[in-house]
Amino acid sequence: KVTESPADVAERADRIITMLPSSPNVREVYTGANGILKKVKKGSLLIDSSTIDPAVSKELAKAVEKMGAVFMDAPVSGGVGAARAGNLTFMVGGVEQEFNAAKELLTCMGSNVIYCGEVGTGQAAKICNNMLLAISMIGTAETMNLGIRLGLDPKLLAKILNMSSGRCWSSDTYNPVPGVMEGVPSANNYQGGFGTTLMAKDLGLAQISATNSMTPVPLGSQAHQIYRMMCAKGYALKDFSAVFQFLREEETL
């Protein structure tokens, strides 16, 4: 059923899952003029599966608690393929006593539902995962590009990588080179999947968290800049594995 606003959803349901692009979107849906908190029922379970700043999750949890409801952050990993198969991974932060209630809902969509700790720790886990994913995807794209330049068949190179120490998810499940794998965005002109603009956003969150915690993340910072450049050069709506195509174009400049 489609309703007019998040407030209308809260009026009709006491278990709500949100999944939105960024922190401002989540704030609006929860605390806006027609947001969930306008009509939330006491005892409601509110699960946010967006990837946002952990500080925003903590802020919303306090606002929800004042309304007598429960808020948990549960960002998700696995991509479109895992979503279709119901094999997503959820990283959950919140009051531990409420975890089983959240898990009951999330296992409808995921095969891995992991309790990470207090509110915000789910976001922390997701941000760390996506920073590593971005770094490994760029590394895979660079490696494949170099191998092709050196005369290697891309399918052969991928096969060698995936039985060697360089193997990673970006090489064996989501290879960025067109023609190497079927059923991935690189086989469909980088359509679908996880957008470059979303990866750039998540890497920005990682940079904020790294700055706030005084943590050195030189490769994460470089990955952030690469994905920002991709957004500026027409790749914003393409899957983040299009970094292979971006590097191929950049080398001719």
Side-chain angles (χ1 to χ4, degrees), residues 31-194:
T31 65
N34 292 303
I36 289 170
L37 296 190
K38 291 295 181 184
K39 295 185 179 179
V40 68
K41 300 173 184 177
K42 287 188 182 298
S44 292
L45 176 60
L46 311 179
I47 301 173
D48 181 44
S49 290
S50 315
T51 300
I52 60 174
D53 188 334
V56 174
S57 293
K58 293 177 182 178
E59 168 195 317
L60 291 173
K62 290 179 182 177
V64 169
E65 186 179 358
K66 288 179 181 177
M67 302 299 292
V70 175
F71 177 91
M72 304 188 86
D73 61 306
V76 60
S77 181
V80 174
R84 287 197 182 107
N87 291 329
L88 292 166
T89 294
F90 288 89
M91 294 151 265
V92 184
V95 178
E96 189 170 6
Q97 293 89 325
E98 301 292 342
F99 174 64
N100 285 336
K103 186 175 182 180
E104 182 183 347
L105 289 175
L106 298 177
T107 48
C108 296
M109 299 179 283
S111 56
N112 301 301
V113 182
I114 312 298
Y115 181 68
C116 298
E118 64 183 18
V119 170
T121 56
Q123 298 295 350
K126 175 62 187 293
I127 289 169
C128 290
N129 177 78
N130 275 22
M131 184 174 75
L132 179 57
L133 174 60
I135 293 168
S136 67
M137 180 57 78
I138 294 169
T140 300
E142 287 186 358
T143 297
M144 294 296 295
N145 189 30
L146 176 61
I148 292 167
R149 282 287 186 142
L150 295 176
L152 288 167
D153 175 78
K155 284 189 176 182
L156 175 65
L157 177 56
K159 181 179 179 180
I160 292 169
L161 292 175
N162 293 334
M163 59 175 64
S164 304
S165 55
R167 176 178 174 269
C168 63
W169 188 85
S170 296
S171 69
D172 73 0
T173 303
Y174 212 82
N175 198 285
V177 180
V180 169
M181 297 182 67
E182 295 181 359
V184 293
S186 61
N188 188 35
N189 193 29
Y190 301 103
Q191 300 302 307
F194 186 65

Side-chain angles (χ1 to χ4, degrees), residues 127-142 170 194-207 216-232 235 240-244 246-247:
I127 289 169
C128 290
N129 177 78
N130 275 22
M131 184 174 75
L132 179 57
L133 174 60
I135 293 168
S136 67
M137 180 57 78
I138 294 169
T140 300
E142 287 186 358
S170 296
F194 186 65
T196 293
T197 186
L198 291 175
M199 180 56 85
K201 182 264 295 183
D202 288 358
L203 288 165
L205 294 173
Q207 290 303 295
V217 288
L219 292 182
S221 180
Q222 185 64 37
H224 184 215
Q225 295 306 316
I226 288 171
Y227 278 101
R228 287 185 66 190
M229 285 190 290
M230 287 176 66
C231 289
Y235 289 84
F240 79 106
S241 62
V243 66
F244 173 77
F246 172 72
L247 291 172

